[in-house]
């Protein structure tokens, strides 16, 4: 099992001030899973822009573009380049998002965040926080329901609802779409996503299982057991274990010679 070092723990303490030491703060993305939220401690004051403040003049970001050599649903990138994409469910306590993004930036890594629309409603400033840090932002539906089980009209509203919020906040619908409550999209959801402006659905080939709150060492071990060049890894904001595991995870990727990049950089 991969161990989180003393240095890693110190990095966590710097990045995660004000975050609960353990316990789930949001709900995982696997089908049928539901964690019991716990009330987090109040985050420490930050010098960053408030996550509840909507930018007055959003700077446009790139619109999704089709990648001709990839299928409609993408689960990994090229296996011949030492890169991986760490992708995050955007939900839960904003302090966990700030901690992970800050740790990634300190390390020189970039991540992809799939924002839930209701999370953006509550914390609109986080959209620009993600992009201003050099990371990537995508659509994870409006309310994070089991979208593959929804009627067409309801599913379409879930995708478009989040897309509209992303566009209002950033000038773009985001670069990727990922279905909520499932690793892959049904043919219907794939079609609706394409109609909403997303040429590809982004899946993953490595599941950290961090939403089960297994402890930071287990999160690192789960990823490192399966990760390889080109992998797309599923992780979550909103969980203290993820914050605690993140510096150790980056360290272990370094040891393997794997660099964490945005999904677009991974695939192009």
């Amino acid at each position: 099992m991969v161990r989180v070092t003393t240095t890693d723990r110190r990095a966590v303490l710097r990045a995660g001030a004000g975050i609960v030491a353990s316990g789930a703060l949001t709900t995982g993305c696997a089908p049928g899973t539901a964690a019991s939220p716990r009330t987090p401690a109040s985050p420490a004051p930050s010098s960053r822009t408030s996550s509840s403040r909507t930018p007055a003049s959003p700077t446009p970001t790139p619109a999704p573009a089709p990648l001709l050599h990839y299928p409609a649903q993408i689960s990994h990138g090229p296996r011949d380049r030492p890169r991986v994409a760490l992708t995050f469910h955007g939900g839960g306590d904003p302090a966990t998002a700030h901690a992970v993004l800050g740790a990634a930036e300190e390390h020189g890594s970039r991540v992809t965040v799939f924002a839930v629309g209701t999370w953006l409603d509550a914390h609109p400033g986080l959209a620009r926080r993600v992009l201003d840090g050099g990371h990537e932002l995508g659509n994870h539906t409006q309310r994070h329901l089991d979208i593959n089980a929804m009627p067409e009209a309801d599913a379409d509203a879930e995708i478009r609802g989040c897309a509209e919020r992303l566009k209002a906040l950033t000038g773009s619908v985001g670069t990727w779409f990922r279905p909520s409550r499932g690793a892959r999209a049904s043919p219907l959801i794939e079609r609706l996503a394409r109609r909403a402006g997303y040429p590809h659905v982004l899946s993953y080939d490595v599941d950290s299982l961090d939403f089960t709150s297994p402890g930071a060492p287990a999160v690192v071990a789960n990823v490192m057991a399966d990760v390889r060049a080109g992998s797309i890894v599923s992780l979550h904001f909103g969980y203290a274990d993820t914050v605690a595991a993140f510096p150790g995870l980056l360290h272990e990727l370094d040891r393997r010679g794997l660099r964490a990049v945005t999904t677009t950089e991974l695939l192009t």
Side-chain angles (χ1 to χ4, degrees), residues 31-53:
T33 61
S36 298
R38 298 180 184 177
T39 303
S42 298
S46 171
S47 61
R48 302 185 186 278
T49 302
S50 170
S51 63
S52 62
R53 184 179 302 165

Side-chain angles (χ1 to χ4, degrees), residues 62-262:
L67 301 176
L68 300 180
H69 301 294
Y70 287 94
Q73 296 203 53
I74 301 172
S75 59
H76 65 82
R79 298 298 192 185
D80 59 350
R81 292 183 289 180
R83 302 173 179 176
V84 297
L86 303 180
T87 65
F88 285 83
H89 161 113
D93 181 3
T96 61
H98 284 299
V100 169
L101 294 172
E105 290 153 18
E106 182 177 345
H107 185 267
S109 300
R110 296 294 178 263
V111 304
T112 300
V113 178
F114 287 91
V116 176
T118 53
W119 188 61
L120 294 177
D121 289 341
H123 313 288
L126 282 173
R128 288 298 339 164
R129 170 66 188 94
V130 170
L131 296 175
D132 290 347
H135 310 286
E136 212 165 29
L137 192 61
N139 180 329
H140 201 35
T141 75
Q142 177 59 20
R143 295 177 294 163
H144 200 259
L145 304 175
D146 184 359
I147 194 166
N148 285 319
M150 298 176 76
E152 180 172 350
D154 294 342
D156 186 58
E158 283 291 308
I159 297 170
R160 290 184 181 277
C162 186
E164 289 166 2
R165 282 154 179 79
L166 286 167
K167 190 166 185 178
L169 292 169
T170 72
S172 166
V173 297
T175 47
W176 303 98
F177 170 77
R178 175 172 287 170
S180 48
R181 303 283 184 169
R184 294 185 63 84
S186 68
L188 170 62
I189 301 307
E190 183 183 310
R191 176 168 59 84
L192 293 176
R194 188 164 53 249
R195 195 167 73 189
Y198 304 96
H200 300 277
V201 171
L202 196 71
S203 184
Y204 48 87
D205 64 329
V206 178
D207 192 344
S208 69
L209 299 176
D210 58 348
F211 61 88
T212 66
S213 296
V219 172
V220 177
N222 289 342
V223 174
M224 299 311 298
D226 296 321
V227 74
R228 56 190 176 119
S231 284
I232 298 174
V233 183
S234 173
L235 293 148
H236 295 71
F237 292 152
Y239 290 85
D241 285 354
T242 309
V243 177
F246 196 61
L249 175 57
L250 292 174
H251 175 71
E252 291 301 320
L253 291 174
D254 284 346
R255 283 166 52 89
R256 294 263 189 103
L258 297 172
R259 186 163 64 97
V261 299
T262 66

